[in-house]
Amino acid sequence: MTPFRWRNCMADVHAYRHDYTVQAYVDDVVAPAVATLKAKIEELSRSDWAPAPFAQADLKNMLRETMLAFGLSIQSIWERQIRTYLIGCASELRPGEPVAAKLEKADWPELCKWFRKLRGINLEAFPSFPMLDTLQLLGNACRHGDGKSSIELALRHPELWPVIPPLPKGFGFSPPLPSSVSRMEVSVDWLRDFAKAIAAFWRDAEYIYNESIERKDPHLEARLVRDRVERTWLPQATD
């Protein structure tokens, strides 16, 4: 079997730290901020201060909104990375064509199509794609609120919404719709999984880049021998 190869671009070189960037963001920014909020919530739960229950409820709501904001920020980091990468590839592979302008305005499905056109492989072929696709839905839901993306997200991952038992008949107001973004709860584990998916994509892209180098030095050849044994995904040429 022949490994899949593409035409390497400077954009591949410039992407060398993308995996580190997103994982460091979760480890060094997201996790400490969430831990601080949770500690304050726990402290209020033990407080004998009269307004403590109300302050705790406010902080819990703030935590939920913070998690949505972090989810959106991770999706934004990923989208900027992949969009900039494709624009860089287009500048080398399609010089003189107005591809960059199209990529700047492209939505997620269009970016996926352009990835195929520019790199010769479907973005959907990458093992990380399901999580990246879910991340796109999450970003849309966090940015725009209830709508098509939140409904699709709820169908794929109902576990993002807590189960609320129905109220007795004639008692109180009906709760928000089950898939309402106002009830969505995103955990740190989910954010870590999104970051891992982004990092995995860039590591897979780096592997293809290394396979695509025509003249490999002995060190790289040895590394690729190990990679071909250890990796769970080895994209193959179709021709």
Side-chain angles (χ1 to χ4, degrees):
M1 298 292 288
T2 303
F4 170 79
R5 296 183 175 92
W6 59 31
R7 178 180 164 186
N8 284 338
C9 300
M10 281 303 299
D12 293 295
V13 179
H14 294 157
Y16 81 103
R17 285 179 64 83
H18 283 351
D19 59 337
Y20 170 80
T21 297
V22 68
Q23 290 194 303
Y25 177 71
V26 173
D27 292 338
D28 300 336
V29 178
V30 174
V34 172
T36 298
L37 278 175
K38 287 185 174 180
K40 290 182 178 180
I41 291 171
E42 178 63 24
E43 181 181 350
L44 285 170
S45 71
R46 299 190 302 268
S47 174
D48 56 3
W49 179 47
F54 302 101
Q56 185 185 38
D58 288 342
L59 275 181
K60 285 182 177 180
N61 185 61
M62 182 188 299
L63 175 60
R64 191 191 66 80
E65 291 292 341
T66 298
M67 300 306 292
L68 297 184
F70 280 141
L72 175 58
S73 64
I74 291 172
Q75 186 273 327
S76 296
I77 290 172
W78 156 246
E79 186 172 322
R80 286 196 304 272
Q81 287 180 344
I82 190 64
R83 192 184 302 274
T84 301
Y85 173 75
L86 290 176
I87 290 173
C89 291
S91 68
E92 292 187 49
L93 303 175
R94 301 283 188 91
E97 298 182 30
V99 178
K102 295 178 181 179
L103 286 167
E104 289 171 358
K105 300 176 182 179
D107 60 13
W108 176 239
E110 291 171 333
L111 287 175
C112 292
K113 292 178 182 178
W114 274 110
F115 189 90
R116 170 67 186 185
K117 292 177 182 178
L118 293 170
R119 306 318 277 138
I121 186 173
N122 289 326
L123 191 59
E124 293 87 342
F126 285 70
S128 54
F129 181 81
M131 280 300 291
L132 297 175
D133 197 42
T134 297
L135 176 60
Q136 188 67 26
L137 291 174
L138 178 73
N140 287 342
C142 292
R143 181 181 290 108
H144 303 296
D146 295 348
K148 182 179 178 181
S149 291
S150 64
I151 293 172
E152 178 63 26
L153 186 60
L155 290 174
R156 295 190 194 182
H157 296 286
E159 64 272 23
L160 285 170
W161 278 263
V163 177
I164 298 179
L167 293 172
K169 186 176 181 180
F171 184 84
F173 296 99
S174 298
L177 294 175
S179 61
S180 174
V181 176
S182 66
R183 292 186 54 245
M184 186 167 60
E185 294 185 357
V186 181
S187 67
V188 173
D189 287 340
W190 269 98
L191 299 183
R192 288 192 188 279
D193 286 344
F194 288 132
K196 289 177 182 177
I198 296 170
F201 168 82
W202 290 117
R203 286 193 293 269
D204 285 336
E206 180 186 17
Y207 167 74
I208 296 174
Y209 170 83
N210 289 335
E211 286 282 13
S212 303
I213 294 175
E214 293 185 5
R215 296 183 179 180
K216 302 177 179 66
D217 62 36
H219 176 76
L220 179 57
E221 286 284 11
R223 175 181 173 179
L224 286 171
V225 168
R226 293 194 303 271
D227 284 348
R228 292 166 192 150
V229 173
E230 297 173 357
R231 291 180 59 83
T232 58
W233 184 58
L234 295 170
Q236 302 295 316
T238 56
D239 294 334

